[in-house]
Amino acid sequence: MIKTPLCDLLNIEFPILQGGMAWISDAQLAAAVSNAGGLGIISSMNADENWLRNEIHKAKSLTDKPFGVNVMLMNPHVDKIAQVLIDEQVPVVTTGAGNPGKFMKLWIEAGIKVIPVVPSTGLARFSERAGATAVIAEGGESGGHVGEMSTMPLIPQVCDAVSIPVIAAGGIGDGRGIAAALMLGAVGVQLGTRFLVAHETNIHENYKDKIIKAKDIDTTLSGRSLGHPVRSLKTTFSKDFIKAENDPTTPPEVLEEYGRGALRIAAQEGDSLKGCFMAGQIAGMIKKKQSVKEIILTLAEETETVLKGGTQWVK
Amino acid sequence: MVLEKVVEILRNYKDEQDLEVTMASTFEELELDSLDTVELVMEIEEAFDTSIEMDGELQTIGDVVTLIEKAIA
Ligand SMILES: Cc1cc2nc3c(=O)[nH]c(=O)nc-3n(C[C@H](O)[C@H](O)[C@H](O)COP(=O)(O)O)c2cc1C
């Protein structure tokens, strides 16, 4: 059994979080992860409060275990979203893309555990000071919007910088990765890419097939020039986008427009000409579609084996 | 003077002792990204033993100085 303080803190069986993924992690996936003993997280992306309330109700009907909601702070409906989380007594909120400062006090007073995703020690310290329960330190190996730091140097430095629990994310796909994250000082992990191929994940089959087919070198970064780089699979779309981005005559607005909705197209239509198939570098290791339960149980078992073998080099 | 202290912290942060900084200097002009800004604001807060709200848009050094002045007044 793998038990860390995070299990008690979040009331979960395994210290494994399924990261919020825009257009992808809905009530069905989140409930499946929570039912399997991890913490499922619904992504509220740019959705409005009615969509979110509905999704939370759906998740509650599918599981009696705790689950979380990922809030994108640039969401134009964020004020109303923040209130829905309080009304529905969602136990855990993870935040990305912005500063949760404005809502921190409200959420904490409502008993919500706030866990920001951070790309640096500075933001980790800032989050701790603002009252965060824990932080998710995410390295740029991950799928989706990424920071500059890699997981390996980021995790131990964040662990040194704060005294709240640290959850590691970015590039973790099996028990070896989880064991390594725990060795670096994390008390839990958040995975995104590995869950893309779960049976319960509501995305176009082409997306899952592309992940299964991907090799280690098949992801790329685009959007650097816009200030928010995104890691996705190399496709016609990503190649065209990078070409446009490297052409100094392309206005930034055109690039923004080009990228807008591209993840939705990948997730719902599976179209590689227009879709952006966000995925992390660990995609190359993911070789089969499984149920969420199989994924989580395998991860837990592998972690235990690796950790138990960890003393073999101590002579 | 708050500004003087802030300039000193900024120069040490960037390790450029002759860096030109005024109230109107923007973080962008000083080549500080959003992560640097968080780091810096925290250093400044620690130096003044106070804290400021980072909710709003901090764009210029003047924005920080004004908030610090209010916080310690
Ligand atoms: C397709 C996709 C979409 C994502 N969308 C979001 C998002 O909307 N908000 C967020 O905070 N993180 C998002 N992430 C990051 C994940 O929550 C998670 O931290 C990350 O996937 C972990 O790294 P891994 O992909 O190497 O497992 C996304 C990741 C992927 C792969």
Side-chain angles (χ1 to χ4, degrees):
Chain A
M1 245 346 227
I2 298 297
K3 278 270 168 269
T4 73
L6 191 70
C7 299
D8 289 334
L9 188 67
L10 302 182
N11 207 3
I12 50 180
E13 203 177 332
F14 305 113
I16 300 171
L17 280 61
Q18 159 259 309
M21 294 182 277
W23 296 108
I24 295 170
S25 60
D26 57 8
Q28 177 176 311
L29 176 61
V33 171
S34 292
N35 279 332
L39 186 82
I41 298 177
I42 296 171
S43 163
S44 63
M45 43 185 187
N46 274 329
D48 66 16
E49 64 282 10
N50 296 325
W51 181 89
L52 180 61
R53 196 177 298 110
N54 199 18
E55 217 54 30
I56 292 173
H57 288 171
K58 216 188 284 173
K60 283 180 178 168
S61 74
L62 295 170
T63 182
D64 49 11
K65 303 264 174 61
F67 58 88
V69 171
N70 177 252
V71 177
M72 228 178 50
L73 294 149
M74 318 239 264
N75 182 342
H77 310 285
V78 70
D79 291 290
K80 289 194 175 130
I81 293 271
Q83 189 55 42
V84 169
L85 299 170
I86 296 172
D87 296 343
E88 296 293 333
Q89 300 186 306
V90 171
V92 180
V93 170
T94 64
T95 62
N99 175 358
K102 193 171 151 199
F103 304 111
M104 226 46 184
K105 245 183 98 192
L106 272 177
W107 286 338
I108 293 167
E109 275 167 12
I112 296 176
K113 297 188 172 82
V114 188
I115 310 186
V117 178
V118 299
S120 69
T121 57
L123 270 175
R125 283 166 55 221
F126 176 74
S127 304
E128 176 178 41
R129 215 187 57 188
T133 304
V135 287
I136 298 165
E138 186 189 68
E141 298 93 323
S142 71
H145 290 267
V146 300
E148 293 278 343
M149 297 265 310
S150 301
T151 304
M152 188 82 147
L154 180 64
I155 305 307
Q157 294 188 74
V158 169
C159 290
D160 287 345
V162 296
S163 49
I164 51 178
V166 176
I167 297 159
I172 301 171
D174 69 359
R176 290 171 295 183
I178 299 179
L182 298 178
M183 291 296 98
L184 293 173
V187 291
V189 292
Q190 168 165 296
L191 279 62
T193 302
R194 174 91 195 241
F195 286 110
L196 286 173
V197 299
H199 298 320
E200 292 89 338
T201 304
N202 253 325
I203 54 175
H204 199 283
E205 221 46 35
N206 287 354
Y207 203 143
K208 297 185 183 179
D209 292 338
K210 281 185 190 300
I211 299 288
I212 303 280
K213 239 198 224 152
K215 298 187 297 299
D216 53 351
I217 54 169
D218 284 343
T219 71
T220 185
L221 283 182
S222 54
R224 265 229 172 89
S225 64
L226 298 172
H228 40 83
V230 164
R231 182 175 301 285
S232 66
L233 294 178
K234 289 178 189 161
T235 55
T236 308
F237 172 85
S238 72
K239 283 172 199 154
D240 289 349
F241 188 97
I242 292 168
K243 227 182 271 161
E245 181 171 41
N246 289 338
D247 177 350
T249 61
T250 315
E253 311 83 69
V254 171
L255 278 180
E256 289 277 7
E257 195 48 46
Y258 195 3
R260 209 184 304 281
L263 175 60
R264 186 198 63 76
I265 293 174
Q268 295 182 346
E269 297 163 25
D271 179 343
S272 59
L273 294 179
K274 294 196 206 113
C276 178
F277 295 74
M278 294 186 187
Q281 291 179 330
I282 205 68
M285 206 169 68
I286 299 168
K287 288 293 163 233
K288 59 176 179 229
K289 301 176 191 171
Q290 287 172 297
S291 71
V292 162
K293 193 165 177 193
E294 282 172 309
I295 292 176
I296 292 200
L297 290 181
T298 309
L299 290 172
E301 250 174 57
E302 288 170 353
T303 308
E304 200 171 319
T305 309
V306 174
L307 285 176
K308 277 187 183 149
T311 55
Q312 64 180 310
W313 310 120
V314 183
K315 302 285 181 212
Chain B
M1 264 282 289
V2 174
L3 178 63
E4 274 165 25
K5 181 88 187 161
V6 167
V7 171
E8 185 193 322
I9 294 170
L10 203 59
R11 286 181 176 155
N12 285 335
Y13 185 88
K14 294 208 49 159
D15 204 11
E16 289 175 33
Q17 292 310 324
D18 41 12
L19 186 71
E20 289 278 348
V21 188
T22 68
M23 289 287 271
S25 309
T26 64
F27 287 102
E28 198 178 346
E29 285 161 12
L30 295 166
E31 292 175 334
L32 296 162
D33 66 16
S34 60
L35 295 187
D36 287 317
T37 308
V38 170
E39 200 74 51
L40 246 173
V41 170
M42 280 195 305
E43 276 190 33
I44 294 169
E45 288 175 332
E46 277 157 22
F48 288 97
D49 197 17
T50 184
S51 70
I52 59 175
E53 293 287 327
M54 265 191 263
D55 300 354
E57 282 286 289
L58 291 179
Q59 299 209 333
T60 65
I61 297 306
D63 292 343
V64 176
V65 169
T66 314
L67 284 172
I68 291 280
E69 278 170 347
K70 245 194 246 161
I72 59 177

